Amino acid sequence: VPLPRLGCDSMGGTQSLALPLGKGPHHVGCADVMVGHTRQGLFLRLFYPCLPSGAGAEQPLWIPRYEYCGGLADFAHRSRRWCAPLLKVAIGSCRVPVSWNGPFKPHGSGYPLVIFSHGLGAFRTLYSSVCSELASWGFAVAALEHRDHSASATYFCTAEAGREEWIPYQRVPQGQKEFYFRNKQVHQRAEECVRAFRLFEDIKNGKSVSNILHQDFDLSVLKDSIDLSKVAVMGHSFGGVTAVLALVKEPGFRCAVALDAWMFPLENALYPEVPKPVLFINTEKFQTPESVAKMKRLSSRNSQTKIITILGSVHQSQTDFTFLTWKRVSRIFGTRGTLDPYKGLDITSRAALAFLQRHLNLEEEFDQWDDLLEGIGDSVVPEAPFCRSNL
């Protein structure tokens, strides 16, 4: 069943419901990577600069498996009533505009690396727009699929040929306080980010690392093309606070970009331990005073930590859903604010690029967007004005 293709754009015309192409100078390739035969292994979708593959290049499915549809859980908040049916429709029809297992483009001095952490009830593919945008500007981006029961669903392949073991989403058990449940999860998630860093270290050091999913994407091609002195961690919502905690656990992470971070699960004792700068890119309708106060504790300790808010945006504006629902429907169910989603992606990605250039010491021209880091620009403000939160 094809995904509905036509909706109204801001000019009153028609608009396809599809994910955007990256605007950077590089073609983007994409591959799924699974390492290890237990849940202590890793599962990620890798976005990377690739060589042109021609007009017939295959594009990956946005939603790779039907099993992800029923477990969206808390990811969609009020919109979860329609998100699962939308995903079922999207199976086999909506594709990411990148080259599936495209030929990796070698880089003599190495691409900077971003480890990306998904939100609660999400999974590795739901941030394809921002991940492919960063890759188009010359980053390798590893979008993890967490195995702490916070993904809508995920799986690993056991050593027995062809057998998959699925890890379902888990709600807070009855009678257990949410903080303790989520705090345990955020620590596991941050450890998985560290394990992803170690994976790329192993590849860099020439160790044999087998991708048990695809023989047609050989991880050894990354060996001399990833610069592990320039690594950042990034995430959305639960993934945003995961990124903050990962800075504590891994000195190799130089900075973090937190998209509308859900700060609740992080224990207070850890705030003084965050050693590196964080860029908080908030939406207008999600944050609470308590959450923003936690962000400001970090910015008061590190002058390079920045907090900005994108006006006219909602929590799902930083996900792919904002591009894949009609304007009127998305307003009703909260997947899109008043800001055009393409403009929202531009602000998010440009602010992130400016921040990454500054703290990864990149020799690019991303500093042309430095004003965004101070909340200067159309539809962006410094700090976090309090509106009605959707938390």
Side-chain angles (χ1 to χ4, degrees):
V1 181
L3 189 69
R5 299 302 299 169
L6 297 178
C8 292
D9 64 19
S10 60
M11 302 302 292
T14 59
Q15 180 183 32
S16 293
L17 297 176
L19 297 178
L21 284 166
K23 291 186 175 181
H26 297 277
H27 294 275
V28 177
C30 177
D32 278 345
V33 175
M34 186 181 290
V35 177
H37 289 283
T38 70
R39 67 174 63 206
Q40 283 70 47
L42 285 172
F43 191 15
L44 59 91
R45 178 162 283 192
L46 182 67
F47 297 82
Y48 53 87
C50 78
L51 299 170
S53 302
E58 182 184 358
Q59 296 181 340
L61 290 170
W62 177 54
I63 306 300
R65 296 283 295 266
Y66 181 85
E67 287 87 347
Y68 290 102
C69 298
L72 267 181
D74 293 339
F75 176 71
H77 300 283
R78 291 187 301 118
S79 54
R80 60 180 173 266
R81 289 171 293 174
W82 65 268
C83 273
L86 172 65
L87 288 177
K88 292 175 184 177
V89 170
I91 292 288
S93 62
C94 182
R95 293 182 177 268
V96 184
V98 298
S99 177
W100 181 238
N101 292 322
F104 182 77
K105 183 179 181 180
H107 188 310
S109 55
Y111 297 111
L113 173 66
V114 174
I115 307 294
F116 193 97
S117 173
H118 65 70
L120 185 65
F123 43 96
R124 71 189 186 283
T125 71
L126 295 190
Y127 302 88
S128 294
S129 50
V130 68
C131 290
S132 59
E133 177 68 20
L134 292 177
S136 78
W137 289 100
F139 289 79
V141 183
L144 294 179
E145 191 159 282
H146 289 294
R147 290 171 168 175
D148 62 324
H149 294 280
S150 69
S152 71
T154 189
Y155 68 98
F156 60 93
C157 297
T158 67
E160 300 174 35
R163 193 170 79 84
E164 297 173 353
E165 185 165 327
W166 283 82
I167 303 170
Y169 176 84
Q170 184 178 350
R171 295 184 181 276
V172 180
Q174 188 172 6
Q176 187 170 147
K177 290 187 176 181
E178 183 171 19
F179 172 80
Y180 297 107
F181 184 74
R182 300 301 184 199
N183 178 256
K184 182 178 178 181
Q185 286 183 311
V186 77
H187 277 270
Q188 178 177 332
R189 290 164 134 263
E191 292 289 352
E192 288 172 344
C193 291
V194 174
R195 291 210 299 272
F197 183 86
R198 296 281 175 265
L199 168 66
F200 286 95
E201 277 188 330
D202 287 346
I203 295 170
K204 179 81 172 177
N205 293 331
K207 293 184 180 178
S208 178
V209 179
S210 175
N211 178 8
I212 65 177
L213 290 181
H214 300 292
Q215 298 304 315
D216 47 354
F217 187 83
D218 184 355
L219 291 170
S220 67
V221 301
L222 306 174
K223 179 179 182 296
D224 298 317
S225 293
I226 303 294
D227 187 346
L228 292 182
S229 70
K230 299 177 179 179
V231 185
V233 60
M234 184 174 182
H236 174 252
S237 193
F238 203 6
V241 73
T242 301
V244 173
L245 180 56
L247 291 180
V248 177
K249 292 180 178 288
E250 175 48 59
F253 291 133
R254 300 279 296 277
C255 62
V257 179
L259 306 181
D260 225 11
W262 183 43
M263 300 299 289
F264 169 77
L266 191 60
E267 62 265 41
N268 289 332
L270 277 175
Y271 284 90
E273 305 299 323
V274 178
K276 306 287 178 60
V278 182
L279 171 62
F280 293 100
I281 306 177
N282 293 334
T283 66
E284 187 177 358
K285 299 286 186 176
F286 180 73
Q287 294 296 333
T288 62
E290 294 79 12
S291 184
V292 173
K294 293 180 177 182
M295 297 176 190
K296 288 184 175 180
R297 284 185 64 182
L298 295 180
S299 64
S300 68
R301 295 175 178 274
N302 189 327
S303 62
Q304 294 302 309
T305 288
K306 304 292 183 182
I307 307 170
I308 63 173
T309 297
I310 301 176
L311 300 177
S313 61
V314 297
H315 197 51
Q316 303 304 327
S317 296
Q318 294 173 331
T319 75
D320 293 339
F321 279 109
T322 193
F323 297 102
L324 297 174
T325 52
W326 288 332
K327 187 175 181 181
R328 183 175 298 176
V329 172
S330 64
R331 293 280 182 82
I332 294 171
F333 292 111
T335 57
R336 188 191 299 186
T338 57
L339 183 68
D340 176 79
Y342 294 89
K343 185 173 182 179
L345 176 61
D346 281 348
I347 294 171
T348 298
S349 59
R350 290 173 181 179
L353 289 168
F355 188 77
L356 292 172
Q357 168 153 328
R358 181 178 295 184
H359 298 292
L360 300 184
N361 297 321
L362 306 180
E363 295 181 2
E364 302 289 348
E365 297 181 354
F366 305 148
D367 54 351
Q368 65 184 295
W369 300 309
D370 274 354
D371 280 353
L372 291 172
L373 303 181
E374 308 303 327
I376 300 170
D378 187 27
S379 301
V380 62
V381 295
E383 300 294 340
F386 296 125
C387 298
R388 182 178 62 86
S389 171
N390 287 337
L391 277 174

